[in-house]
């Protein structure tokens, strides 16, 4: 069987580059698209690939957020004369089928250069150098019927720009990627957000990694403000979330916008989905502790997308039976808020993988973030589970020496309770302890709290001695918090 | 809370509870939210559902005459039943109510449409 392949340029946005390959592979797998790579260099802002036809190329573009646009390749060369020669030859060879585009009523040529800036006049000169093209229509910069792209790539290194462009490309723009969704789902306009809401681009990437498709059941066990549910619902998933934080789920926590003093009455995760026209995709959110079993065994999620708390902006906590519980002072009619204890990241990830191994469908994906200190990183620290295979691993640098990795696991074995399963990996030291102990002082959270309390007490006594009235800042803050709920 | 979610929830986290399913549902305030009927999604959801709990929920929601007590075969051919299931599972929204653990009687409240499955530290 001979197949006619078509050549395309994938022009990417040079942002979150480490996620590009993983996203491409996920989308290609999602639609079962065949392809052939023509370029080896994966960090360049463009790839040249072959797809069987326009439909498959459009399918890929219908999901990708890393992609700016797909361009039908007409000519590619490393020097300008060679480029024009090939473009001429291509146009002559395919005159019949290209005539439709050349004869279109209106057109526009976009000149895009990477790693070098050109003035408008220079760009026009570049366009005019291709005056042999049999373009018939009129120029229309706003709404052209056909959009031609002329691309020059001047290397990756801004400090060593070469004398001539490394690659020159030309073609017809086929379609654009899904980058408009980044603005559409922007957190700036979202109804309900919190301190840890995931930015729109990354949550879209996560939904792609999870291969969410229409009619999927998607679950986020650390849902927070539901930012990951938004993108999953946008791609057709039916979304379900859980979180231990009652105030967060009910949207009564402290507002995180500086201009906002109190939460609006109608803020909720459901309202967010409604805002983006996905209200039908909202299943439910509930208050639940992830460390305890909750779901009946028949449930099988198509994917689990989550961003667990790292213990920095959101506390890592769980409900636990305490052996040294304080004396029980509550009465039956008092509302009781369960006291929570620290949920170490190691345990949290072990639980998350175990949960995914049991509650994912076969072939379903778990997509989650793992924070770490870059000094510590090596492959062995990644959490592992016998029923899950790590299929992608991309890094996003965070502040200072920290970073996080987006891990994508695929369930490849039907879950069985066999004793041979091993859960390995996970960082040995808690991310939070390491984060706040930059000088490597070994001080546990408990010790630190006691030390701070002792310091406050000392200060209070000293002020009393001097006859001054002591103001307890901590108590004041607590009172302020209480007042918000009266 | 939708009744599809109700179908998935158990109280097995409570110390000493073996099955904790199905929970005893009480609805004190509900709402009907219309949503788009998606037969493919319902069909995909069917094997994940426990029919006795589906029927139980229908009884509490006063829709028992719409839903057969035992799971009929070839549901996917019965468009009307799928429509009814869609209404029961996705359009009934429990705003206020509670779920009770069948073994211990522990009550999980539902407020503002959100169930609170959190346990106290002495219950886990």
């Amino acid at each position: 069987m001979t197949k006619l392949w078509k050549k395309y340029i994938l022009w990417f946005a040079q942002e979150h580059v480490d996620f590009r390959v993983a996203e491409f592979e996920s989308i290609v797998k999602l639609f079962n698209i065949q392809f052939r790579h023509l370029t080896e260099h994966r960090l360049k802002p463009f790839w040249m690939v072959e797809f069987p036809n326009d439909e498959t190329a459009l399918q890929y573009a219908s999901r990708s957020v890393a992609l700016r646009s797909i361009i039908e390749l007409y000519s590619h060369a490393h020097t300008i004369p060679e480029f024009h020669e090939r473009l001429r030859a291509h146009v002559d060879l395919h005159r019949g089928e290209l005539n439709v585009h050349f004869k279109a009523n209106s057109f526009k040529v976009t000149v895009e250069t990477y790693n070098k800036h050109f003035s408008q006049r220079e760009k026009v000169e570049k366009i005019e150098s291709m005056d042999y093209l049999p373009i018939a229509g009129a120029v229309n910069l706003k709404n052209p019927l056909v959009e031609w792209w002329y691309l020059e790539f001047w290397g990756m290194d801004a400090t060593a720009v070469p004398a001539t462009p490394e690659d020159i490309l030309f073609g017809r723009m086929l379609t654009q990627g899904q980058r408009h969704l980044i603005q559409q789902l922007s957190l700036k306009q979202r109804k309900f957000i919190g301190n840890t809401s995931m930015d729109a681009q990354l949550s879209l990437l996560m939904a792609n990694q999870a291969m969410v498709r229409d009619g999927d059941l998607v679950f986020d066990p650390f849902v927070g403000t539901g930012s990951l549910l938004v993108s999953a619902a946008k791609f057709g998933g039916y979304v379900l979330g859980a979180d231990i934080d009652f105030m967060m789920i009910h949207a009564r926590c402290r507002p995180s916008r500086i201009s906002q003093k109190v939460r609006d009455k109608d803020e909720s995760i459901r309202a967010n989905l409604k805002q983006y026209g996905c209200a039908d995709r909202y299943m439910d959110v509930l208050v639940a502790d992830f460390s305890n079993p909750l779901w009946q065994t028949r449930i099988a999620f198509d994917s689990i997308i989550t961003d667990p708390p790292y213990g920095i902006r959101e506390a890592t906590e769980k409900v636990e039976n305490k052996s040294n519980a304080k004396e029980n002072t509550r009465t039956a009619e008092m509302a009781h808020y369960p006291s929570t204890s620290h949920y170490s990241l190691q345990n949290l990830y072990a639980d998350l993988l175990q949960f995914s191994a049991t509650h994912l469908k076969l072939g379903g994906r778990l997509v989650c973030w793992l924070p770490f200190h870059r000094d510590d990183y090596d492959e062995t620290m990644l959490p592992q589970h016998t029923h899950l295979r790590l299929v992608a691993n991309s890094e996003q640098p965070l502040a200072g020496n920290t970073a996080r990795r987006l891990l994508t696991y695929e369930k490849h074995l039907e879950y069985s309770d066999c004793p041979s399963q091993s859960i390995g990996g996970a960082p040995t030291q808690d991310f939070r302890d390491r984060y706040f102990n930059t000088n490597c002082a070994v001080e546990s959270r408990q010790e630190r709290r006691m030390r701070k309390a002792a310091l406050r007490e000392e200060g209070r006594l000293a002020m009393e001695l001097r006859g001054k009235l002591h103001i307890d800042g901590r108590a004041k803050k607590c009172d302020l918090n209480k007042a918000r709920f009266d | 809370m939708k009744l599809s979610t109700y179908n998935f929830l158990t109280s097995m986290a409570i110390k000493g509870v073996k099955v904790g399913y199905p929970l005893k549902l009480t609805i004190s305030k509900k709402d009907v939210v219309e949503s788009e009927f998606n037969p493919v999604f319902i069909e995909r959801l069917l094997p994940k559902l426990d029919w006795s709990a589906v029927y139980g929920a229908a009884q509490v929601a006063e829709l028992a005459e719409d839903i057969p007590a035992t799971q009929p075969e070839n549901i996917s051919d019965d468009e009307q039943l799928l429509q009814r299931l869609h209404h029961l599972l996705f359009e009934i929204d429990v705003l206020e109510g509670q779920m009770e653990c069948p073994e211990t009687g522990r009550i999980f409240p539902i407020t503002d449409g959100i169930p609170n499955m959190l346990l106290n530290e002495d219950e886990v």
Side-chain angles (χ1 to χ4, degrees):
Chain A
M1 193 181 80
T2 53
K3 217 174 196 162
L4 286 170
W5 292 86
K6 266 185 91 172
K7 290 190 175 124
Y8 297 93
I9 309 163
L10 307 184
W11 190 260
F12 293 104
Q14 208 64 350
E15 194 181 1
H16 299 307
V17 177
D18 200 32
F19 295 75
R20 189 181 287 163
V21 177
E23 198 214 28
F24 181 81
E25 283 171 357
S26 298
I27 298 173
V28 157
K29 186 168 181 193
L30 170 66
F31 292 113
N32 197 14
I33 297 174
Q34 288 181 297
F35 66 96
R36 288 202 298 232
H37 278 298
L38 298 174
T39 28
E40 285 306 314
H41 199 336
R42 298 277 176 272
L43 296 179
K44 281 188 184 178
F46 68 91
W47 293 357
M48 287 188 291
V49 296
E50 285 184 316
F51 286 123
N53 48 42
D54 282 1
E55 282 75 62
T56 42
L58 289 172
Q59 254 180 340
Y60 167 67
S62 73
R63 281 296 289 264
S64 180
V65 279
L67 179 79
R68 287 182 62 193
S69 47
I70 292 195
I71 298 149
E72 208 178 57
L73 179 69
Y74 284 10
S75 172
H76 167 242
H78 301 293
T79 63
I80 301 264
E82 203 182 350
F83 164 77
H84 287 294
E85 198 179 300
R86 286 189 188 171
L87 183 55
R88 274 203 177 95
H90 182 90
V91 172
D92 282 339
L93 191 64
H94 299 93
R95 190 168 288 270
E97 59 203 87
L98 298 184
N99 253 345
V100 198
H101 307 308
F102 284 128
K103 296 281 175 282
N105 273 331
S106 59
F107 76 98
K108 169 186 172 183
V109 184
T110 305
V111 176
E112 179 82 45
T113 54
Y114 188 84
N115 206 21
K116 193 168 169 88
H117 180 77
F118 287 98
S119 68
Q120 197 55 37
R121 163 184 279 193
E122 283 166 316
K123 286 184 178 176
V124 171
E125 277 168 20
K126 286 180 197 296
I127 295 173
E128 283 170 353
S129 72
M130 297 181 290
D131 55 4
Y132 49 84
L133 289 176
I135 296 174
V139 175
N140 181 344
L141 297 182
K142 284 221 171 96
N143 270 319
L145 286 172
V146 179
E147 204 176 325
W148 307 100
W149 277 53
Y150 174 85
L151 308 164
E152 277 181 13
F153 175 70
W154 292 74
M156 299 288 292
D157 188 357
T159 59
V161 182
T164 52
E166 286 181 14
D167 295 275
I168 307 120
L169 305 121
F170 181 82
R172 180 179 70 91
M173 193 188 71
L174 186 68
T175 187
Q176 296 196 333
Q178 299 301 308
R179 291 193 70 76
H180 61 276
L181 286 178
I182 299 170
Q183 271 75 48
Q184 196 189 327
L185 305 184
S186 162
L187 292 180
K188 290 180 186 167
Q189 279 86 38
R190 192 171 297 176
K191 184 84 200 160
F192 172 45
I193 61 165
N195 286 339
T196 53
S197 294
M198 183 67 63
D199 117 280
Q201 177 164 193
L202 290 172
S203 50
L204 287 161
L205 273 171
M206 289 174 78
N208 275 338
Q209 284 303 108
M211 304 202 299
V212 174
R213 66 190 96 194
D214 189 31
D216 271 7
L217 186 61
V218 181
F219 179 54
D220 180 355
F222 302 97
V223 71
T225 57
S227 48
L228 303 181
L229 300 187
V230 166
S231 59
K234 198 76 198 162
F235 288 143
Y238 285 79
V239 294
L240 202 58
D243 204 293
I244 195 168
D245 191 341
F246 180 95
M247 287 309 198
M248 179 80 84
I249 290 248
H250 285 265
R252 280 194 266 158
C253 48
R254 189 196 294 263
S256 49
R257 287 193 168 96
I258 195 159
S259 56
Q260 201 181 359
K261 288 278 179 286
V262 282
R263 289 271 182 200
D264 291 341
K265 279 266 177 287
D266 55 349
E267 280 187 48
S268 69
I269 294 175
R270 189 198 291 243
N272 280 352
L273 290 173
K274 206 177 274 170
Q275 182 182 354
Y276 301 121
C278 314
D280 283 352
R281 307 280 154 170
Y282 175 86
M283 294 273 287
D284 262 313
V285 291
L286 34 101
V287 188
D289 175 10
F290 183 66
S291 69
N292 290 323
L294 175 68
W295 305 96
Q296 62 127 315
T297 45
R298 295 171 65 141
I299 195 168
F301 298 110
D302 294 296
S303 45
I304 295 171
I305 307 179
T306 194
D307 183 23
Y310 314 149
I312 311 294
R313 292 196 199 176
E314 276 306 332
T316 45
E317 48 186 13
K318 64 174 173 179
V319 179
E320 197 174 47
N321 197 353
K322 296 186 177 71
S323 48
N324 57 348
K326 283 183 200 143
E327 204 181 319
N328 207 343
T329 48
R330 71 188 152 107
T331 52
E333 64 271 19
M334 260 165 82
H336 176 68
Y337 302 100
S339 87
T340 52
S341 45
H342 180 55
Y343 192 5
S344 81
L345 274 189
Q346 294 97 299
N347 291 339
L348 191 153
Y349 280 93
D351 286 354
L352 181 59
L353 266 65
Q354 179 61 25
F355 179 84
S356 307
T358 22
H359 290 294
L360 272 179
K361 69 164 185 190
L362 198 61
R365 284 188 166 188
L366 161 69
V367 180
C368 62
W369 289 99
L370 177 74
F372 62 98
H373 291 264
R374 297 178 91 175
D375 304 340
D376 305 347
Y377 180 74
D378 76 277
E379 294 263 319
T380 54
M381 68 174 268
L382 301 177
Q384 295 162 25
H385 194 283
T386 42
H387 292 75
L388 303 168
R389 182 172 45 222
L390 186 68
V391 290
N393 171 5
S394 320
E395 180 176 322
Q396 181 199 17
L398 298 174
N401 199 24
T402 58
R404 58 180 175 180
R405 276 176 181 266
L406 184 64
L407 305 176
T408 308
Y409 294 90
E410 199 167 276
K411 181 171 168 180
H412 65 105
L413 263 180
E414 201 52 77
Y415 185 73
S416 56
D417 240 336
C418 60
S420 68
Q421 67 190 2
S422 71
I423 304 163
T428 43
Q429 202 193 358
D430 205 74
F431 180 70
R432 184 184 200 281
D433 290 345
R434 189 98 158 63
Y435 188 89
F436 287 114
N437 273 323
T438 40
N439 51 5
C440 290
V442 189
E443 186 185 43
S444 73
R445 298 169 84 179
Q446 178 88 22
E447 284 165 1
R448 187 185 148 92
R449 209 163 54 227
M450 296 319 253
R451 184 170 57 84
K452 287 269 166 95
L455 263 178
R456 272 199 306 276
E457 182 62 17
E458 211 172 276
R460 194 184 64 82
L461 287 175
M463 284 188 85
E464 240 169 40
L465 274 180
R466 278 179 284 151
K468 282 191 176 171
L469 204 63
H470 176 256
I471 302 155
D472 191 343
R474 224 175 122 84
K476 232 174 136 181
K477 199 172 151 194
C478 288
D479 290 343
L480 199 77
N481 274 342
K482 279 179 202 151
R484 284 187 300 132
F485 302 114
D486 290 340
Chain B
M1 183 192 72
K2 294 186 174 136
L3 294 177
S4 48
T5 308
Y6 162 72
N7 205 290
F8 298 143
L9 297 177
T10 74
S11 61
M12 64 168 104
I14 304 176
K15 198 163 43 182
V17 168
K18 288 266 175 329
V19 184
Y21 189 84
L23 300 169
K24 201 167 147 254
L25 177 70
T26 317
I27 300 175
S28 40
K29 188 176 161 201
K30 68 179 176 194
D31 196 10
V32 178
V33 192
E34 264 181 51
S35 73
E36 189 200 341
F37 174 57
N38 185 343
V40 182
F41 179 58
I42 300 209
E43 274 173 52
R44 282 179 63 182
L45 203 65
L46 274 177
K48 298 169 191 163
L49 296 173
D50 182 285
W51 195 270
S52 63
V54 171
Y55 185 66
Q59 284 176 312
V60 181
E62 291 155 6
L63 289 164
E65 61 267 33
D66 284 359
I67 308 290
T70 51
Q71 182 166 10
E73 282 173 42
N74 303 328
I75 294 187
S76 41
D77 301 334
D78 190 347
E79 169 94 15
Q80 202 185 11
L81 181 57
L82 285 180
Q83 293 259 18
R84 284 173 176 168
L85 277 173
H86 169 77
H87 178 69
L88 175 73
L89 296 172
F90 302 113
E91 296 193 324
I92 308 277
D93 194 11
V94 182
L95 292 179
E96 309 287 334
Q98 63 179 46
M99 288 176 286
E100 190 186 315
C101 168
E103 290 166 50
T104 60
R106 160 67 144 100
I107 289 188
F108 299 96
I110 304 167
T111 48
D112 292 328
I114 298 174
N116 185 352
M117 305 306 291
L118 218 51
L119 294 169
N120 291 332
E121 58 273 22
D122 50 4
E123 291 171 311
V124 297

